[in-house]
Amino acid sequence: MKKTDTCLIENSKIMLNTEIVFESPAANFSDFAKEAYKSLELGYPKFHKMDNLSKLAFLASEMILKDEDHSRTALVFANRSSSLDTDFRYQQSINSEENYFPSPAVFVYTLPNICVGEISIRHRMQTENAFFVLDEFDEDFLNTYSAQILHSGKADRVLCGWVELYQESYKAFVYLLTN
């Protein structure tokens, strides 16, 4: 297998391979994500409805996937916190006695695999996807799992990565594997 492209997002920076493609003084992830979306002219209105984990995964994926045909690209992502950031926000809406309005729009994002679904929809991917919850980034595990997908013939490429977000701590490291 060959790693062709990488994207790293952390500390209000987006790096594609070794080049900084976007940088912001924004102190929080929400502002950083909005600025990045606008600056990079991504043109996907559903972005604004996504939870922060999905936005992080989406931004990292967009840097690599661009406008090519990815119907035969699989997705294999992992993180430590699952969807805990969104789960926490949803629980707050349930706990609020004066503003008790648990939002179905937030509930939709209480599973971490929704972010791979958003990417799959955007790029019309029609192959495998998986989202693992691991204690730490384990590139060997992700690569071994991806190799099985590639060798099975179910996909031509696999977008792999670590997309961790909890409160204001975030990091995405995403890369594309091919045979």
Side-chain angles (χ1 to χ4, degrees):
M1 286 186 316
K2 178 181 170 188
K3 188 185 296 184
T4 59
D5 287 305
T6 64
C7 178
L8 175 66
I9 299 177
E10 66 181 342
N11 303 322
S12 299
K13 289 181 194 167
I14 300 176
M15 293 186 66
L16 179 60
N17 300 315
T18 58
E19 179 184 333
I20 295 175
V21 295
F22 179 77
E23 189 170 7
S24 167
N28 67 55
F29 179 77
S30 278
D31 291 343
F32 165 74
K34 286 176 195 171
E35 290 175 21
Y37 173 85
K38 186 176 180 179
S39 175
L40 298 167
E41 300 176 350
L42 297 178
Y44 191 65
K46 285 179 60 178
F47 178 83
H48 301 292
K49 295 180 180 181
M50 294 179 194
D51 72 323
N52 284 339
L53 178 63
S54 295
K55 286 178 180 178
L56 178 62
F58 185 87
L59 287 170
S61 299
E62 285 299 294
M63 297 300 98
I64 294 175
L65 298 177
K66 301 184 179 46
D67 293 327
E68 300 169 22
D69 176 15
H70 286 285
S71 59
R72 294 202 29 88
T73 301
L75 292 167
V76 178
F77 282 5
N79 76 5
R80 174 194 313 257
S81 299
S82 184
S83 59
L84 190 56
D85 185 70
T86 302
D87 297 346
F88 181 73
R89 292 170 200 253
Y90 186 70
Q91 186 62 46
Q92 284 180 318
S93 73
I94 292 171
N95 291 347
S96 174
E97 290 182 21
E98 59 276 347
N99 292 319
Y100 179 78
F101 295 107
S103 171
V106 175
F107 178 75
V108 166
Y109 291 97
T110 57
L111 292 173
N113 65 326
I114 297 301
C115 68
V116 295
E118 292 283 4
I119 296 162
S120 294
I121 291 166
R122 162 75 163 170
H123 292 281
R124 295 184 175 98
M125 296 173 164
Q126 300 172 9
T127 185
E128 304 292 312
N129 69 59
F131 197 110
F132 296 97
V133 178
L134 306 171
D135 286 334
E136 59 188 20
F137 176 56
D138 186 344
E139 190 169 356
D140 290 337
F141 173 80
L142 295 177
N143 291 351
T144 300
Y145 190 87
S146 298
Q148 293 173 0
I149 293 171
L150 290 170
H151 295 308
S152 75
K154 292 180 180 178
D156 298 329
R157 295 172 282 204
V158 180
L159 185 66
C160 295
W162 179 259
V163 287
E164 172 63 19
L165 182 137
Y166 183 67
Q167 296 177 342
E168 288 307 318
S169 175
Y170 64 92
K171 180 178 183 175
F173 176 67
V174 175
Y175 54 97
L176 192 64
L177 292 175
T178 62
N179 270 333

